[in-house]
Amino acid sequence: MTYKVEFAPSGLSVTVSKGITVLDAARLAGADLDSTCGGRGLCGRCQIVPTNTAALTGWASTEEEYTGRRPILDGQRLGCAAQVCGNLKVEIPAASQVHKQVVRKSVDVGNIEIDPLVRLHYIELEKAELGSDLRGLTEQIAERLSMTYGVTMSRLATHVLPLIAPAAKRGNNTITVAVRHGHEVCAVYPGYVDQAFGIAVDVGSTTIAGHLVDLSTGEIRATNGVMNPQIRFGDDLMSRVSYVMMNPGGEIELTRSVRTALDEMVGTLVAEAGIDRDVVLDMTIVGNPIMHHIILGIDPTPLGQAPFLLATDSAVVTSAAALDIDARFCEVYFLPCIAGHVGADTAGAILAEGPHRSDALQLLVDVGTNAEIVFGNSAHVLAASSPTGPAFEGAQISAGMRATAGAIERVRIDRDTLEPRVKVIGSDLWSDDPGFDAETRSLDISGICGSGIIEVMGELYLSGLIDVDGTVRSDGPSKTSRVFAHGRTFSYRLFGDADEPAANINVTQDDVRAIQLAKAALRAGIDLLCEHAGKTDPNKIGSVRLAGAFGAHIDPLYAKVIGLVPDVPVAKVASVGNAAGAGAVRALVSASQRAEIEETVRRVHKIETATEPRFQDLFVNAMGFPHTTEPTPNLATETTLPVAQAKPEGAGDRQRTGRRRRPT
């Protein structure tokens, strides 16, 4: 007898013989039903929801005795045990689908289909006896993969070959093999193993962030971030290239230091998850071109001078062992670079945020030591980089510091009294809240991190204490005791009340200039791309996305106040976190995502800011707060902007005073 089996939500159906399992019926129909144990009732991944239980046989012993990690939920059956005995409709829940939709923590990867390049398959080998006519273990594995899973093995990695017999012995003739790219056996384990892991890494010039991901579910199981040890060779990328140029063998030191950090990060991640390094089977890495080259052991000096030639702009695949990372079964995939100063990290951000998938124009900015800018939509995508330097991350700022406990991260200045209030990392209270002193007593409040630097600059401008041209006004001391003379310029005391000014946290004229230079470089790059795209009206931009570890914490309003981004309505400006890392995760869990980004980067139009004559003009115009020449009508509706004030006596002519009020 034959029966019709229909599967939801796919709508696929198949006619099968009585007694066939639902799992086998799903395979015949092409329905998306997961199983890693080969239908032996071990993994619990093939659970289905029958709409007509009478069309299935009763509970099998496999289900009664099941003790796997994933419990059988009420109303569900194991597809590998339940047999068809009537016309049947079954629902395959999301948790039982191979290509599941996923939204996970730490990095927002969006909704994608899980389609990892490595899958696990459980195999029962025949017991060898003297005189038995059995083929070799490799050949038996190939036969079982073909018969049970429909996998045609093209090769078995040579480093796996000597491990098969010991694994089979320890597993009592049962093993689990990992198959990469659908045809290559790359790892072997004794007995039944149902979890494989990958690691997605974003190697920034300042920090390295890693995410340990369950390849079958897309779940991020552990996250770790460390400082890039290369900082001791220079704060920014060009200083590290200079180190290599000036010190023979310097590139070896840089490579060794970052590879050591990567290996230590792997150890930290697996320890946090309570797993072994041997189950880490895949790794994706993104980074700027110089980091990309240094990790691979490629001389980065060609990237330090025109024409900024990449060793390769294609994706690179190698082994973890080749990078001195202790993960013997792991393959490493480097996303492709785009141009000499636009790297795999930008490719990852593009993959995550998808300007190439959007009809509306998207401006994507990864704010960091070297800012990467992407502008466009599905019709045309442009990319460039701007040398912002490390000021946004606290370097070159007198009281700048990393974003650690005790760092000032939020700032507000009262428009009438000009008194500040701050928030610090490690406390939810503002400094004028009751209990702030008690709650922060154990914190060392000793500096300002990137988001705080952006906000204090914006607040000083909105309060009228610094001019459009970035000058700390000399008449400030007559308005508040917090402004004081500092050599030939003036500074603002943000936090602390020590008699000695140096003991407090101050914002100096040099600090303002450092931020002006950084933000002008970034804004000039943005304006240059907009000009090349023929879209200079901010209202034509559909969205602005601020990415990167620093960009994730920028208040969009203050990004507009200091002129970091064009005068797009603030509702269209959003911080999207570590987009490069999110792209690395997407490439880790999906083969189609790798193919998508490799195809996309070939269509990106690269703009080299260093050779563009317009860049310098745009840079000069972008020095002002918010901008020297561009009007900001949208910003004027979103906050109260100061009007131009007359220069203090002896400083030239400027109209005096007051603030424009927000229109009502």
Side-chain angles (χ1 to χ4, degrees), residues 15 18 103 151 162 202 205 282 347 355 402 423 425 493-494 557:
T15 299
K18 179 180 179 180
V103 180
V151 171
D202 176 15
S205 55
D282 208 356
R402 306 293 181 194
K423 266 189 174 183
I425 297 176
R493 175 169 54 89
L494 177 63
L557 178 64

Side-chain angles (χ1 to χ4, degrees), residues 383-451:
S385 68
S386 277
T388 55
F392 287 140
E393 296 177 341
Q396 300 176 347
I397 303 297
S398 59
M401 65 181 292
R402 306 293 181 194
T404 58
I408 294 173
E409 62 171 344
R410 294 283 178 260
V411 177
R412 298 292 183 270
I413 296 176
D414 187 276
R415 301 296 185 264
D416 297 317
T417 67
L418 302 179
E419 284 295 301
R421 57 194 185 103
V422 303
K423 266 189 174 183
V424 300
I425 297 176
S427 172
D428 292 328
L429 301 177
W430 286 93
S431 57
D432 59 348
D433 288 336
F436 175 83
D437 290 339
E439 185 167 297
T440 61
R441 188 171 293 119
S442 61
L443 299 175
D444 180 18
I445 305 176
S446 56
I448 320 170
C449 69
S451 60

